[in-house]
Amino acid sequence: DTGVSQNPRHKITKRGQNVTFRCDPISEHNRLYWYRQTLGQGPEFLTYFQNEAQLEKSRLLSDRFSAERPKGSFSTLEIQRTEQGDSAMYLCASSLASLARWGDEQFFGPGTRLTVL
Amino acid sequence: DQQVKQNSPSLSVQEGRISILNCDYTNSMFDYFLWYKKYPAEGPTFLISISSIKDKNEDGRFTVFLNKSAKHLSLHIVPSQPGDSAVYFCAASAQGGSEKLVFGKGTKLTVNP
């Protein structure tokens, strides 16, 4: 399967614990995005990488959140000192940014559902 | 501030008929628009897109129409099939889609046999 993969698919944790999620993008894609989706809402942008460089961070990404993409391949999203408000589906997407003006569709993984008790 | 709005939370149509899903946007910098379909417990699946230099794009049963002056787009599904039942998200981006996507809240489509 050459799609975007995310692990784990589900994570239940207690408030105050740290959690880390992993995303493996489509192999030739140079851009990787993280989004968060809560019930009844569309996905909300968190951050994205071009290769290993983190190019933009949303104000939703508090100091407790950190994302990395070492070597421009897989990415990890860590949440420290989790809070109940962090409960959400965390989605990863990847795309191949090209010089073409249009057409850089983002392809999403299945998501990691986080529940903070 | 909701930059992309899908004002209909749900839509129900009969199999074989047309489904029309609507989306409005407020940010004039958006120049690339996409529709995603989402089943429960799965990530969004890309369906179809349109750039701001076009007013229509077609792919099989799916057609997206863009009205830039009204800042409105719509997705037409003809004919609708029960397997089309899902939540449909409208998304918009500046810079031709290479930047972050801004999503609407989604419309749940139910196609009845």
Side-chain angles (χ1 to χ4, degrees), chain A residues 74-110:
Chain A
F74 71 92
S75 176
T76 57
L77 178 67
E78 181 183 16
I79 309 174
Q80 296 182 329
R81 305 181 303 281
T82 52
E83 300 173 356
Q84 288 183 325
D86 297 331
S87 295
M89 173 75 84
Y90 289 84
L91 293 162
C92 175
S94 70
S95 72
L96 179 61
S98 67
L99 295 176
R101 182 69 180 93
W102 318 103
D104 295 340
E105 286 87 8
Q106 295 178 26
F107 295 88
F108 283 80

Side-chain angles (χ1 to χ4, degrees), chain B residues 58-92:
Chain B
E58 214 170 333
D59 183 2
R61 298 186 296 115
F62 303 91
T63 302
V64 56
F65 295 92
L66 175 62
N67 183 333
K68 279 193 346 181
S69 60
K71 292 190 174 68
H72 177 84
L73 62 154
S74 61
L75 174 68
H76 293 210
I77 306 174
V78 183
S80 300
Q81 299 174 354
D84 296 329
S85 298
V87 177
Y88 288 77
F89 290 98
C90 171

